[in-house]
Amino acid sequence: MAKLMILAIGNAGGNIVGTIRKQTEQAMLKEAKYIFADCDESDLKKHEADDSQLILLNTDKYEVPGKIFNGVEKLVIIAGLGGKTGTKYAELAAKYAIDADIASVNVIATFPFVFEGDNRINLASSAARKLTDINSVNVTIFNNEELLAKYPDLNFFNAFEAADKEIMQIIEDVL
């Protein structure tokens, strides 16, 4: 069983991790156990071709199956904040992982672009505060707006691709 688990939560987390999985050259990331968790079954189906575990989250019961953490020593949770799934389940998964005595728990969460709206930004801010309050969890909030300074030619179509590459580098640095 893989000692490293990458847990993609929600559509944003799934998209980011799907890209990373295809592009990484790092052996540790290639050998990791990948789990995609989402409330939307159609989003999960995007990852069926992979040898990943898929978890359909129940919006009536806010829980993450704790047994998925068995044997895991390092966990990286990837989620986008500001939507319904990552905002709720990233915090929950981090707490379950701590309860499962995982030695290293990292959450890498994206913060919405300005064009995604004030409501998403406010939800993301609240979720980020809750994540940083969890003891023993290393939290990295990736502010998508920082990309604009680094890549001045970004637009709606290429912004998410640039964010995926930056987040892959953050994961590699964390490990």
Side-chain angles (χ1 to χ4, degrees):
M1 180 180 289
K3 305 267 186 212
L4 170 65
M5 175 191 288
I6 308 293
L7 175 57
I9 299 180
N11 188 43
N15 289 339
I16 293 164
V17 171
T19 299
I20 290 168
R21 201 161 179 206
K22 290 174 185 148
Q23 294 181 0
T24 189
E25 296 297 326
Q26 190 182 59
M28 189 173 202
L29 284 177
K30 286 183 179 214
E31 296 168 6
K33 178 179 182 177
Y34 286 86
I35 296 183
F36 292 84
D38 204 321
C39 298
D40 186 330
E41 194 169 0
S42 64
D43 285 338
L44 277 177
K45 288 183 185 252
K46 296 176 192 174
H47 307 288
E48 279 184 328
D50 299 334
D51 59 346
S52 307
Q53 183 177 347
L54 306 178
I55 298 173
L56 182 61
L57 299 169
N58 185 337
T59 56
D60 294 330
K61 294 181 190 177
Y62 291 111
E63 61 186 22
V64 175
K67 65 183 178 185
I68 65 170
F69 300 124
N70 291 345
V72 174
E73 293 177 6
K74 288 185 175 185
L75 172 66
V76 179
I77 299 168
I78 309 292
L81 301 182
K84 66 178 184 175
T85 307
T87 300
K88 292 178 183 177
Y89 287 96
E91 175 190 3
L92 192 58
K95 287 179 177 178
Y96 277 48
I98 294 299
D99 289 347
D101 293 324
I102 294 178
S104 174
V105 179
N106 298 278
V107 176
I108 301 171
T110 62
F111 204 81
F113 287 101
V114 170
F115 63 74
E116 293 181 83
D118 288 342
N119 188 41
R120 283 188 177 268
I121 291 171
N122 292 336
L123 284 171
S125 294
S126 176
R129 280 190 298 276
K130 290 176 183 176
L131 283 168
T132 57
D133 286 343
I134 303 171
N135 290 330
S136 303
V137 174
N138 178 27
V139 178
T140 302
I141 304 296
F142 182 77
N143 186 342
N144 287 327
E145 290 300 314
E146 294 170 5
L147 288 172
L148 297 175
K150 190 169 184 176
Y151 304 102
D153 295 335
L154 279 185
N155 58 46
F156 179 81
F157 301 103
N158 63 5
F160 295 104
E161 181 181 331
D164 292 351
K165 288 179 186 177
E166 293 292 319
I167 292 167
M168 182 167 54
Q169 186 61 53
I170 292 169
I171 293 170
E172 291 172 354
D173 291 346
V174 164
L175 300 176

